[in-house]
Amino acid sequence: MSMAQTAEWICTRCGSTNRRLVADGATRADDACVTCHAHHVLEADARPVRWRARPA
Ligand SMILES: [Zn+2]
C-alpha cells in the first residue's frame, strides 16, 4: 500500500510556507513556491514535517 506524507517548506525567496505531498519514505523532492514560483530542492530533515529548502 502506498502512502503519502506532507512536506512543508519555507520559500527562501519570499518566505511563504508551501506544502507538497510526497511518497511515504521519500527524502528528496522538488517544488515551486505557490506565491513567487521559485523552484526549490527539498530534503527531509530530522523534524518529520518541515523540510529543508534551497533554491534550484
Ligand atoms: Zn516564494
Side-chain angles (χ1 to χ4, degrees):
M1 185 171 76
S2 129
M3 300 283 290
Q5 60 178 329
T6 299
E8 181 184 283
W9 61 277
I10 303 295
C11 179
T12 61
R13 179 188 285 175
C14 76
S16 291
T17 300
N18 292 273
R19 289 178 187 84
R20 177 188 172 87
L21 277 180
V22 297
D24 201 24
T27 57
R28 288 177 64 90
D30 330 318
D31 201 5
C33 177
V34 70
T35 301
C36 74
H37 310 294
H39 286 86
H40 286 69
V41 172
L42 314 176
E43 294 181 344
D45 207 343
R47 293 164 62 191
V49 175
R50 180 68 55 82
W51 287 32
R52 291 191 301 272
R54 59 181 169 83

